[in-house]
């Protein structure tokens, strides 16, 4: 009986798997699972990166940690229903990543020119930040200091209801 093959990185090399083998973990199946998990995480990165940059830019550079908290719940308040500038920056931030995306289901045209590197998230960060910051830098609706809900009025409403 020959000694099993050994790979310095992965350990013992498993024998070839067949469909009839039940309960056997095949390296090809494990690699497929890893590739699918990687693709899923990178797809999440593609949609969460612009969203995160918009929130961070707004909090630290636009609103500077000053909010009118009761106005968040008032559709006619200072924030309104939608921040269309944020939605535009988000949409552009997602779309601009596509040419730089390297996934198993899609590889953008810029990936080959970059030697196979997926820099879509970096492009998403830069473009979303610049677009959102320059669209809102002089249009802040933030109050001069944070406005908190009137806790006594809320307690009185709860006691009545």
């Amino acid at each position: 009986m020959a000694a099993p093959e050994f790979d310095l990185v992965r350990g013992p090399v498993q024998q070839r798997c067949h469909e009839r083998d039940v309960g056997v973990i095949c390296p090809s199946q494990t690699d497929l699972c890893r590739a699918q998990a990687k693709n899923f995480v990178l797809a999440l990165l593609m949609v969460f990166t612009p969203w995160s940059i918009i929130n961070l830019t707004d909090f630290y550079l636009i609103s500077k940690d000053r909010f009118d908290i009761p106005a968040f719940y008032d559709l006619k308040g200072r924030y309104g229903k939608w921040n269309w500038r944020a939605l535009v920056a988000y949409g552009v931030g997602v779309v601009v990543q596509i040419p730089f995306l390297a996934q198993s289901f899609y590889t953008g045209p810029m990936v080959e020119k970059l030697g196979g590197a997926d820099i879509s998230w970096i492009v998403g960060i830069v473009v979303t930040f610049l677009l959102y910051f320059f669209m809102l830098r002089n249009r802040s609706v933030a109050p001069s200091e944070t406005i908190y809900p009137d806790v006594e009025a809320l307690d009185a409403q709860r006691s009545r209801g």
Side-chain angles (χ1 to χ4, degrees), residues 131-145:
L131 188 59
Y132 186 68
F133 181 75
F134 286 112
M135 282 197 305
L136 264 88
R137 68 178 172 182
N138 296 323
R139 299 177 192 268
S140 177
V141 294
S144 58
E145 62 183 42

Side-chain angles (χ1 to χ4, degrees), residues 14-31:
Q14 297 179 6
Q15 297 297 321
R16 188 166 198 177
C17 299
H18 300 288
E19 288 181 24
R20 70 177 189 278
D21 295 333
V22 179
V24 177
I25 298 175
C26 300
S28 60
Q29 291 172 341
T30 304
D31 291 343

Side-chain angles (χ1 to χ4, degrees), residues 40-57:
F40 178 69
V41 170
L42 290 174
L44 287 177
L45 187 66
M46 182 178 161
V47 294
F48 284 144
T49 300
W51 176 76
S52 299
I53 290 303
I54 288 168
N55 282 310
L56 292 169
T57 303

Side-chain angles (χ1 to χ4, degrees), residues 117-142:
D118 182 341
I119 62 163
S120 59
W121 61 277
I122 298 170
V123 174
I125 286 173
V126 172
V127 170
T128 304
F129 169 75
L130 291 173
L131 188 59
Y132 186 68
F133 181 75
F134 286 112
M135 282 197 305
L136 264 88
R137 68 178 172 182
N138 296 323
R139 299 177 192 268
S140 177
V141 294

